[in-house]
PDB file of all heavy atoms in Angstrom:
ATOM      1  N   VAL A1015      12.567   8.805   6.477  1.00 98.00           N
ATOM      2  CA  VAL A1015      13.779   8.230   5.899  1.00 98.00           C
ATOM      3  C   VAL A1015      14.483   7.266   6.745  1.00 98.00           C
ATOM      4  O   VAL A1015      14.956   7.631   7.862  1.00 98.00           O
ATOM      5  CB  VAL A1015      14.678   9.470   5.523  1.00 98.00           C
ATOM      6  CG1 VAL A1015      15.924   8.989   4.727  1.00 98.00           C
ATOM      7  CG2 VAL A1015      13.967  10.587   4.889  1.00 98.00           C
ATOM      8  N   ASP A1016      14.389   6.052   6.409  1.00 97.00           N
ATOM      9  CA  ASP A1016      14.967   4.898   7.165  1.00 97.00           C
ATOM     10  C   ASP A1016      16.413   4.661   6.897  1.00 97.00           C
ATOM     11  O   ASP A1016      17.122   4.048   7.686  1.00 97.00           O
ATOM     12  CB  ASP A1016      14.145   3.682   7.146  1.00 97.00           C
ATOM     13  CG  ASP A1016      12.753   3.890   7.724  1.00 97.00           C
ATOM     14  OD1 ASP A1016      12.682   4.629   8.812  1.00 97.00           O
ATOM     15  OD2 ASP A1016      11.784   3.456   7.153  1.00 97.00           O
ATOM     16  N   ALA A1017      16.764   4.795   5.683  1.00 96.00           N
ATOM     17  CA  ALA A1017      18.174   4.447   5.210  1.00 96.00           C
ATOM     18  C   ALA A1017      18.547   5.280   3.995  1.00 96.00           C
ATOM     19  O   ALA A1017      17.601   5.996   3.327  1.00 96.00           O
ATOM     20  CB  ALA A1017      18.156   2.978   4.962  1.00 96.00           C
ATOM     21  N   GLY A1018      19.780   5.353   3.719  1.00 97.00           N
ATOM     22  CA  GLY A1018      20.215   5.950   2.484  1.00 97.00           C
ATOM     23  C   GLY A1018      20.337   7.553   2.558  1.00 97.00           C
ATOM     24  O   GLY A1018      20.218   8.126   3.654  1.00 97.00           O
ATOM     25  N   THR A1019      20.433   8.251   1.421  1.00 98.00           N
ATOM     26  CA  THR A1019      20.564   9.731   1.445  1.00 98.00           C
ATOM     27  C   THR A1019      19.527  10.305   0.510  1.00 98.00           C
ATOM     28  O   THR A1019      19.183   9.823  -0.603  1.00 98.00           O
ATOM     29  CB  THR A1019      21.999   9.954   0.784  1.00 98.00           C
ATOM     30  OG1 THR A1019      23.043   9.410   1.630  1.00 98.00           O
ATOM     31  CG2 THR A1019      22.174  11.475   0.617  1.00 98.00           C
ATOM     32  N   VAL A1020      18.967  11.324   1.072  1.00 98.00           N
ATOM     33  CA  VAL A1020      17.810  12.083   0.399  1.00 98.00           C
ATOM     34  C   VAL A1020      18.157  13.535   0.332  1.00 98.00           C
ATOM     35  O   VAL A1020      18.710  14.093   1.251  1.00 98.00           O
ATOM     36  CB  VAL A1020      16.509  11.903   1.258  1.00 98.00           C
ATOM     37  CG1 VAL A1020      15.426  12.748   0.655  1.00 98.00           C
ATOM     38  CG2 VAL A1020      16.051  10.479   1.173  1.00 98.00           C
ATOM     39  N   THR A1021      17.954  14.014  -0.865  1.00 97.00           N
ATOM     40  CA  THR A1021      18.086  15.516  -1.163  1.00 97.00           C
ATOM     41  C   THR A1021      16.802  16.135  -1.357  1.00 97.00           C
ATOM     42  O   THR A1021      16.046  15.702  -2.180  1.00 97.00           O
ATOM     43  CB  THR A1021      18.959  15.720  -2.388  1.00 97.00           C
ATOM     44  OG1 THR A1021      20.206  15.125  -2.201  1.00 97.00           O
ATOM     45  CG2 THR A1021      19.243  17.294  -2.647  1.00 97.00           C
ATOM     46  N   LEU A1022      16.473  17.198  -0.685  1.00 96.00           N
ATOM     47  CA  LEU A1022      15.006  17.645  -0.576  1.00 96.00           C
ATOM     48  C   LEU A1022      14.812  19.031  -1.312  1.00 96.00           C
ATOM     49  O   LEU A1022      13.683  19.207  -1.692  1.00 96.00           O
ATOM     50  CB  LEU A1022      14.659  17.932   0.881  1.00 96.00           C
ATOM     51  CG  LEU A1022      14.514  16.852   1.810  1.00 96.00           C
ATOM     52  CD1 LEU A1022      14.229  17.336   3.199  1.00 96.00           C
ATOM     53  CD2 LEU A1022      13.320  15.972   1.337  1.00 96.00           C
ATOM     54  N   ASN A1023      15.888  19.821  -1.537  1.00 98.00           N
ATOM     55  CA  ASN A1023      15.594  21.244  -1.833  1.00 98.00           C
ATOM     56  C   ASN A1023      16.032  21.721  -3.362  1.00 98.00           C
ATOM     57  O   ASN A1023      17.080  21.998  -3.542  1.00 98.00           O
ATOM     58  CB  ASN A1023      16.420  22.060  -0.886  1.00 98.00           C
ATOM     59  CG  ASN A1023      16.009  21.832   0.554  1.00 98.00           C
ATOM     60  OD1 ASN A1023      16.689  21.090   1.196  1.00 98.00           O
ATOM     61  ND2 ASN A1023      14.779  22.405   0.940  1.00 98.00           N
ATOM     62  N   PRO A1024      15.074  21.674  -4.234  1.00 98.00           N
ATOM     63  CA  PRO A1024      15.243  22.231  -5.561  1.00 98.00           C
ATOM     64  C   PRO A1024      15.615  23.704  -5.432  1.00 98.00           C
ATOM     65  O   PRO A1024      15.255  24.414  -4.507  1.00 98.00           O
ATOM     66  CB  PRO A1024      14.033  22.039  -6.287  1.00 98.00           C
ATOM     67  CG  PRO A1024      13.343  20.961  -5.488  1.00 98.00           C
ATOM     68  CD  PRO A1024      13.700  21.183  -4.155  1.00 98.00           C
ATOM     69  N   SER A1025      16.455  24.165  -6.392  1.00 98.00           N
ATOM     70  CA  SER A1025      16.833  25.566  -6.320  1.00 98.00           C
ATOM     71  C   SER A1025      17.156  26.178  -7.622  1.00 98.00           C
ATOM     72  O   SER A1025      17.333  25.543  -8.653  1.00 98.00           O
ATOM     73  CB  SER A1025      18.148  25.697  -5.437  1.00 98.00           C
ATOM     74  OG  SER A1025      19.210  25.066  -5.982  1.00 98.00           O
ATOM     75  N   ALA A1026      17.155  27.487  -7.788  1.00 98.00           N
ATOM     76  CA  ALA A1026      17.545  28.087  -8.985  1.00 98.00           C
ATOM     77  C   ALA A1026      18.031  29.510  -8.668  1.00 98.00           C
ATOM     78  O   ALA A1026      17.594  30.211  -7.790  1.00 98.00           O
ATOM     79  CB  ALA A1026      16.353  28.240  -9.929  1.00 98.00           C
ATOM     80  N   PRO A1027      18.917  30.103  -9.548  1.00 98.00           N
ATOM     81  CA  PRO A1027      19.325  31.482  -9.299  1.00 98.00           C
ATOM     82  C   PRO A1027      18.321  32.498  -9.953  1.00 98.00           C
ATOM     83  O   PRO A1027      17.608  32.161 -10.794  1.00 98.00           O
ATOM     84  CB  PRO A1027      20.613  31.565 -10.195  1.00 98.00           C
ATOM     85  CG  PRO A1027      20.411  30.564 -11.252  1.00 98.00           C
ATOM     86  CD  PRO A1027      19.624  29.422 -10.692  1.00 98.00           C
ATOM     87  N   LEU A1028      18.286  33.594  -9.267  1.00 98.00           N
ATOM     88  CA  LEU A1028      17.506  34.785  -9.776  1.00 98.00           C
ATOM     89  C   LEU A1028      18.277  35.260 -11.095  1.00 98.00           C
ATOM     90  O   LEU A1028      19.395  35.390 -10.922  1.00 98.00           O
ATOM     91  CB  LEU A1028      17.305  35.896  -8.787  1.00 98.00           C
ATOM     92  CG  LEU A1028      16.045  35.744  -7.818  1.00 98.00           C
ATOM     93  CD1 LEU A1028      16.058  34.461  -7.031  1.00 98.00           C
ATOM     94  CD2 LEU A1028      15.878  36.970  -7.023  1.00 98.00           C
ATOM     95  N   ARG A1029      17.451  35.510 -12.138  1.00 98.00           N
ATOM     96  CA  ARG A1029      18.177  35.945 -13.353  1.00 98.00           C
ATOM     97  C   ARG A1029      18.302  37.379 -13.519  1.00 98.00           C
ATOM     98  O   ARG A1029      18.913  37.845 -14.412  1.00 98.00           O
ATOM     99  CB  ARG A1029      17.368  35.397 -14.619  1.00 98.00           C
ATOM    100  CG  ARG A1029      17.475  33.925 -14.713  1.00 98.00           C
ATOM    101  CD  ARG A1029      17.120  33.472 -16.187  1.00 98.00           C
ATOM    102  NE  ARG A1029      17.307  32.191 -16.397  1.00 98.00           N
ATOM    103  CZ  ARG A1029      17.358  31.693 -17.712  1.00 98.00           C
ATOM    104  NH1 ARG A1029      17.182  32.459 -18.820  1.00 98.00           N
ATOM    105  NH2 ARG A1029      17.709  30.385 -17.979  1.00 98.00           N
ATOM    106  N   ALA A1030      17.682  38.138 -12.581  1.00 98.00           N
ATOM    107  CA  ALA A1030      17.963  39.633 -12.642  1.00 98.00           C
ATOM    108  C   ALA A1030      17.632  40.242 -11.119  1.00 98.00           C
ATOM    109  O   ALA A1030      17.176  39.421 -10.278  1.00 98.00           O
ATOM    110  CB  ALA A1030      16.926  40.254 -13.514  1.00 98.00           C
ATOM    111  N   ALA A1031      17.935  41.467 -10.926  1.00 98.00           N
ATOM    112  CA  ALA A1031      17.650  41.999  -9.782  1.00 98.00           C
ATOM    113  C   ALA A1031      16.184  42.242  -9.519  1.00 98.00           C
ATOM    114  O   ALA A1031      15.475  42.393 -10.542  1.00 98.00           O
ATOM    115  CB  ALA A1031      18.418  43.541  -9.541  1.00 98.00           C
ATOM    116  N   VAL A1032      15.715  42.238  -8.290  1.00 98.00           N
ATOM    117  CA  VAL A1032      14.294  42.492  -8.054  1.00 98.00           C
ATOM    118  C   VAL A1032      14.200  43.301  -6.732  1.00 98.00           C
ATOM    119  O   VAL A1032      14.811  43.137  -5.806  1.00 98.00           O
ATOM    120  CB  VAL A1032      13.557  41.053  -7.749  1.00 98.00           C
ATOM    121  CG1 VAL A1032      14.226  40.395  -6.713  1.00 98.00           C
ATOM    122  CG2 VAL A1032      12.117  41.418  -7.616  1.00 98.00           C
ATOM    123  N   PRO A1033      13.356  44.464  -7.014  1.00 96.00           N
ATOM    124  CA  PRO A1033      13.205  45.335  -5.823  1.00 96.00           C
ATOM    125  C   PRO A1033      12.187  44.942  -4.742  1.00 96.00           C
ATOM    126  O   PRO A1033      11.370  44.048  -5.092  1.00 96.00           O
ATOM    127  CB  PRO A1033      12.712  46.701  -6.443  1.00 96.00           C
ATOM    128  CG  PRO A1033      11.919  46.151  -7.638  1.00 96.00           C
ATOM    129  CD  PRO A1033      12.536  44.990  -8.076  1.00 96.00           C
ATOM    130  N   ALA A1034      12.354  45.460  -3.548  1.00 94.00           N
ATOM    131  CA  ALA A1034      11.228  45.196  -2.517  1.00 94.00           C
ATOM    132  C   ALA A1034       9.953  45.718  -3.134  1.00 94.00           C
ATOM    133  O   ALA A1034       9.909  46.712  -3.757  1.00 94.00           O
ATOM    134  CB  ALA A1034      11.700  45.931  -1.253  1.00 94.00           C
ATOM    135  N   GLY A1035       8.969  44.985  -2.661  1.00 93.00           N
ATOM    136  CA  GLY A1035       7.543  45.321  -3.201  1.00 93.00           C
ATOM    137  C   GLY A1035       7.137  44.593  -4.552  1.00 93.00           C
ATOM    138  O   GLY A1035       6.003  44.850  -4.864  1.00 93.00           O
ATOM    139  N   SER A1036       8.123  43.879  -5.064  1.00 96.00           N
ATOM    140  CA  SER A1036       7.755  43.230  -6.292  1.00 96.00           C
ATOM    141  C   SER A1036       6.861  41.924  -5.926  1.00 96.00           C
ATOM    142  O   SER A1036       7.158  41.254  -5.105  1.00 96.00           O
ATOM    143  CB  SER A1036       8.937  42.759  -7.135  1.00 96.00           C
ATOM    144  OG  SER A1036       8.627  41.933  -8.222  1.00 96.00           O
ATOM    145  N   SER A1037       5.977  41.674  -6.836  1.00 95.00           N
ATOM    146  CA  SER A1037       5.098  40.445  -6.622  1.00 95.00           C
ATOM    147  C   SER A1037       5.450  39.354  -7.599  1.00 95.00           C
ATOM    148  O   SER A1037       4.787  38.451  -7.727  1.00 95.00           O
ATOM    149  CB  SER A1037       3.608  40.770  -6.760  1.00 95.00           C
ATOM    150  OG  SER A1037       3.194  41.665  -5.796  1.00 95.00           O
ATOM    151  N   THR A1038       6.519  39.548  -8.437  1.00 97.00           N
ATOM    152  CA  THR A1038       7.076  38.466  -9.309  1.00 97.00           C
ATOM    153  C   THR A1038       8.591  38.372  -9.060  1.00 97.00           C
ATOM    154  O   THR A1038       9.218  39.267  -8.506  1.00 97.00           O
ATOM    155  CB  THR A1038       6.763  38.959 -10.761  1.00 97.00           C
ATOM    156  OG1 THR A1038       7.530  40.136 -11.020  1.00 97.00           O
ATOM    157  CG2 THR A1038       5.371  39.224 -11.165  1.00 97.00           C
TER     158      THR A1038
END
Side-chain angles (χ1 to χ4, degrees):
V1015 186
D1016 293 317
T1019 299
V1020 172
T1021 302
L1022 291 176
N1023 301 100
S1025 62
L1028 272 61
R1029 289 201 172 192
V1032 58
S1036 175
S1037 295
T1038 61

